[in-house]
Amino acid sequence: MKKLQKKRFTLIEVVIVIVILVTLASIATPMYMSYVSNANIGTAKSQVDLFKDCITKYHMDNKEYPSEDSGLQALVENVDGLETWKGPYIDASTLPKDPWGNDYHYRCPGDDDRPFEIICYGADGEPGGEDENADINSWE
């Protein structure tokens, strides 16, 4: 009776497979990170637009914009004790953070004679920057 021999991979075959996998990963990873970056920017823009709409509703009810001291928290709770407050104006128990985990910034009045401004400073959390670090503003 003939003994069956098990076929095994040689070391060179294993190395070739590893090289192929590493090459594929090095191509796919930057593409994936680009999609993640674009998704984060899109999410931040959507959230800024949501805040802008909520502040407009707040203004319609209260005939004023939230003060800079009250900030966006005025959309969640009646921090100023207004009798006309009909909130919460945003469907959340706490204010959402931007996609990078930073707070959104609120100014009242805003720059260039705007009644208010909502700003996301991007991935680095600092004013200015480019690409994923660029500021996202409610009036752009």
Side-chain angles (χ1 to χ4, degrees):
M1 203 176 202
K2 220 177 190 186
K3 215 175 183 185
L4 293 175
Q5 287 186 341
K6 291 183 180 180
K7 291 190 177 189
R8 299 181 185 192
F9 292 109
T10 64
L11 181 60
I12 192 75
E13 291 171 328
V14 171
V15 169
I16 289 172
V17 168
I18 291 172
V19 167
I20 290 171
L21 291 175
V22 168
T23 302
L24 289 174
S26 68
I27 293 169
T29 301
M31 291 171 51
Y32 171 76
M33 295 309 288
S34 173
Y35 287 120
V36 169
S37 174
N38 289 338
N40 286 341
I41 292 167
T43 299
K45 286 180 180 180
S46 295
Q47 286 179 331
V48 166
D49 287 342
L50 173 67
F51 282 132
K52 190 175 174 182
D53 291 343
C54 292
I55 288 175
T56 300
K57 291 176 191 171
Y58 179 100
H59 182 262
M60 290 170 60
D61 287 345
N62 302 296
K63 309 298 183 241
E64 63 185 49
Y65 293 102
S67 67
E68 195 163 328
D69 291 335
S70 301
L72 297 173
Q73 191 63 34
L75 302 175
V76 177
E77 60 181 298
N78 190 359
V79 292
D80 294 322
L82 300 172
E83 291 181 21
T84 55
W85 193 84
K86 296 178 185 168
Y89 295 93
I90 190 167
D91 189 23
S93 58
T94 60
L95 289 171
K97 302 256 187 204
D98 71 17
W100 301 279
N102 303 313
D103 290 326
Y104 287 92
H105 300 272
Y106 174 75
R107 289 190 204 149
C108 184
D111 293 339
D112 300 325
D113 294 324
R114 295 185 180 106
F116 66 90
E117 235 174 338
I118 304 159
I119 305 163
C120 170
Y121 288 131
D124 62 356
E126 300 292 328
E130 295 179 2
D131 301 324
E132 193 175 29
N133 295 329
D135 297 349
I136 297 167
N137 193 303
S138 58
W139 296 101
E140 291 178 354

